[in-house]
Amino acid sequence: MIAVAIDGPAGAGKSTVARRAAKELGYVYVDTGAMYRAIGYTLKKQGVDLSDAAAVAAAVTGVDVTLRFEQDGQHVYCGDDDVTGFIRTPEISLAASAVSAVPAVRAHLLSLQQQMAKTNSVIMDGRDIGTVVLPNAQVKVFLTASSAVRARRRCLELEQKGTPQPYEEVLRDVEERDYQDAHRAVAPMKPAPDAVLLDTSGMDLDESVQALLGIIREKVGA
Ligand code: DC
């Protein structure tokens, strides 16, 4: 089994780049952010106060998160409910960010994430994959782009969705989220010492995918 760990800040294009590279190599793409989002969504629906770490820790023990790989990619389930279609809203991004700072939530997901890499060759993306989840991964990449580039990409996305926002506001959000992710007490986002840094600031999507494939092939000859 080959494990490729990809970490980096929000908006760097990790998931799109990782998904495309996984398809090319025939590996399973595992989006761990979706698991945090699923927990955020479910606890919010249950009315749990997400700013109360003890309440979140107590409630998460009852949430059975599973990943299933269907024709159109990864689906995330809580119990029998497929929540995949409900977790990509700004409201759930905030909920995911809140629950992901609670150690019990991270512990709850850790063995499931590790299990996925035991039974499949994977490209797994998140914030702590190379440092905590798969410290023995054969390939570790810290995929990033400047905050200005990430804010510009996000602005384009919002425009295409018909909900444009001023660049300065988007940039401020991006930088605030980076700070929070990098400074939380548990599993802060930081490159593993043995990670290869891939800065996609000057690259388009195809170039980013090719750069990632190049790093993987060099390490494992895939
Ligand atoms: O990558 P994303 O935006 O879908 O992640 C959602 C939230 O979960 C984000 O606040 C960071 C957090 N997260 C994490 O703490 N650890 C991971 N391995 C993946 C995501």
Side-chain angles (χ1 to χ4, degrees):
M1 297 300 161
I2 303 292
V4 179
I6 305 205
D7 293 301
K14 288 191 307 288
S15 57
T16 314
V17 173
R19 187 180 297 113
R20 295 250 303 246
K23 196 167 174 205
E24 181 89 10
L25 296 169
Y27 294 1
V28 173
Y29 165 60
V30 183
D31 169 6
T32 62
M35 299 159 109
Y36 289 97
R37 288 172 181 273
I39 289 180
Y41 171 78
T42 300
L43 296 193
K44 200 173 166 69
K45 211 166 80 175
Q46 289 172 0
V48 176
D49 175 1
L50 301 186
S51 65
D52 179 345
V56 169
V60 77
T61 57
V63 184
D64 176 28
V65 180
T66 49
L67 292 183
R68 294 183 206 166
F69 295 90
E70 303 179 3
Q71 203 101 71
D72 59 345
Q74 172 185 298
H75 283 238
V76 57
Y77 285 76
C78 287
D80 292 329
D81 296 333
D82 181 352
V83 302
T84 315
F86 306 109
I87 59 175
R88 301 278 162 206
T89 66
E91 199 188 2
I92 301 306
S93 296
L94 281 179
S97 179
V99 301
S100 74
V102 176
V105 171
R106 307 200 72 85
H108 190 69
L109 292 178
L110 183 64
S111 64
L112 176 59
Q113 292 165 351
Q114 289 174 333
Q115 201 55 42
M116 306 285 323
K118 283 205 179 108
T119 45
N120 308 279
S121 284
V122 294
I123 298 188
M124 190 176 292
D125 86 9
R127 303 294 188 284
D128 63 338
I129 309 304
T131 49
V132 177
V133 179
L134 304 175
N136 297 320
Q138 290 92 334
V139 188
K140 297 182 187 178
V141 176
F142 195 80
L143 195 152
T144 188
S146 70
S147 52
V149 165
R150 287 183 286 128
R152 264 204 305 280
R153 288 177 185 163
R154 179 85 188 122
C155 276
L156 265 179
E157 244 175 61
L158 289 166
E159 229 173 270
Q160 281 160 5
K161 271 196 200 158
T163 52
Q165 257 184 46
Y167 171 77
E168 283 70 26
E169 257 174 47
V170 174
L171 179 65
R172 205 181 46 230
D173 282 357
V174 162
E175 289 182 339
E176 235 170 64
R177 211 147 21 117
D178 285 357
Y179 186 88
Q180 269 171 24
D181 278 352
H183 290 84
R184 67 179 177 217
V186 56
M189 176 183 67
K190 60 167 190 244
D194 49 348
V196 176
L197 185 74
L198 176 56
D199 186 333
T200 66
S201 297
M203 298 180 193
D204 65 16
L205 183 57
D206 275 340
E207 290 167 337
S208 307
V209 174
Q210 289 311 317
L212 176 59
L213 285 170
I215 293 169
I216 297 171
R217 289 189 169 124
E218 194 185 344
K219 293 265 179 198
V220 301

